[in-house]
C-alpha cells in the first residue's frame, strides 16, 4: 500500500506516518535538544513511539483534534508538523518538531508552510501557535511565516520542573499568502 502524500516541496515530502517511521521518530524525539521545550521527556522509548506512530498513521486529517504530518527529506523522516483542529472547523493550533541534524536548513519553514497551505485551503480561518519564550528559533520561524505575536503568558507552564513563559502567536487566513 502506497503512503499517503499530502504535499511535496522542492526538498521535502509531507506525508502520513507509517510503521517504518518508528525508529526514526523515537530517535529524534529522544534528542535532549529536541525535547527541551516540548511536553515530552527524552528519551522516548521505542514502545511509546510505536504506539504514537500507530495512532498518527490511522488518524483522520480533517477531524477535530490533533493530526501529525510526517516530514521526509531524501527518503529519511526528519520531523513532524501537527495541526489540532478545533471542533468548529474554523480554528486550528500548530506544532512542529525537527531532528537536530536537520535544523538550520529551512526544512521546518518549508514543511510548516506546506501544511498551512493545506489547512487554510480547507476553510480554517485562524491558526494559533505557542512556544516557550526561550525557544527563539521557533518564535523566529513563526514570525517568518507571518504569524503575529499576540501575547506573553508569564510563568504560565510548569515544564520539566520549572515555570516557563509562553509566547502566543496567531495567523489569519486573510493574512496568509499561499506560495
Amino acid at each position: 500500500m502506497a503512503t499517503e502524500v499530502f504535499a511535496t516541496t522542492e526538498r521535502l515530502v509531507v506525508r502520513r506516518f507509517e510503521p517504518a517511521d518508528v525508529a526514526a521518530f523515537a530517535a529524534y524525539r529522544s534528542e535532549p535538544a529536541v525535547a527541551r521545550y516540548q511536553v515530552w521527556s527524552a528519551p522516548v522509548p521505542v514502545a511509546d513511539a510505536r504506539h504514537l506512530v500507530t495512532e498518527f498513521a490511522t488518524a483522520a486529517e480533517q477531524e477535530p483534534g490533533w493530526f501529525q504530518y510526517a516530514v521526509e527529506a531524501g527518503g529519511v523522516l526528519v520531523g513532524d508538523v501537527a495541526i489540532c483542529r478545533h471542533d468548529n472547523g474554523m480554528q486550528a493550533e500548530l506544532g512542529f518538531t525537527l531532528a537536530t541534524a536537520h535544523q538550520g536548513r529551512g526544512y521546518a519553514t518549508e514543511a510548516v508552510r506546506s501544511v498551512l497551505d493545506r489547512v487554510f485551503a480547507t476553510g480554517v480561518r485562524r491558526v494559533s501557535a505557542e512556544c516557550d519564550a526561550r525557544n527563539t528559533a521557533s518564535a523566529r520561524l513563526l514570525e517568518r511565516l507571518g504569524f503575529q505575536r499576540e501575547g506573553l503568558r508569564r510563568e504560565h507552564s510548569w515544564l520539566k520542573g520549572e515555570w516557563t513563559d509562553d509566547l502566543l502567536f496567531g495567523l489569519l487566513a486573510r493574512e496568509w499568502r499561499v506560495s
Side-chain angles (χ1 to χ4, degrees):
M1 184 166 77
T3 301
E4 185 177 6
V5 174
F6 299 110
T8 55
T9 68
E10 186 177 315
R11 304 177 299 164
L12 304 175
V13 174
V14 178
R15 60 171 174 74
R16 182 175 291 278
F17 269 88
E18 54 192 28
D21 294 327
V22 170
F25 180 78
Y28 73 77
R29 289 275 182 122
S30 291
E31 296 175 33
V34 170
R36 180 175 181 203
Y37 302 118
Q38 302 284 5
V39 296
W40 72 84
S41 295
V44 173
V46 172
D48 292 354
R50 184 175 297 108
H51 175 76
L52 288 168
V53 166
T54 299
E55 283 184 12
F56 300 161
T58 59
E61 181 189 18
Q62 303 294 324
E63 295 298 315
W66 285 102
F67 185 84
Q68 215 85 12
Y69 298 87
V71 179
E72 180 182 301
V76 175
L77 180 69
V78 298
D80 53 88
V81 177
I83 290 290
C84 183
R85 291 177 183 270
H86 190 276
D87 288 341
N88 66 20
M90 295 179 284
Q91 296 166 268
E93 185 176 344
L94 170 72
F96 47 89
T97 304
L98 199 68
T100 304
H102 300 281
Q103 293 177 7
R105 300 179 189 182
Y107 287 168
T109 302
E110 202 172 312
V112 171
R113 180 178 286 123
S114 70
V115 169
L116 289 172
D117 283 345
R118 189 168 179 85
V119 168
F120 281 125
T122 66
V124 168
R125 185 174 178 278
R126 174 187 165 77
V127 176
S128 61
E130 64 181 74
C131 66
D132 188 305
R134 300 168 298 176
N135 191 347
T136 56
S138 287
R140 284 193 311 267
L141 182 149
L142 292 166
E143 290 167 348
R144 255 193 321 277
L145 289 170
F147 280 81
Q148 300 298 308
R149 183 172 158 183
E150 297 178 337
L152 168 68
R153 293 188 298 204
R154 298 178 307 135
E155 296 183 12
H156 182 266
S157 297
W158 179 254
L159 184 66
K160 300 177 182 164
E162 64 181 325
W163 288 105
T164 63
D165 295 347
D166 296 339
L167 294 176
L168 306 176
F169 293 88
L171 179 63
L172 301 176
R174 68 174 177 264
E175 298 166 340
W176 182 243
R177 305 289 184 253
V178 177
S179 47

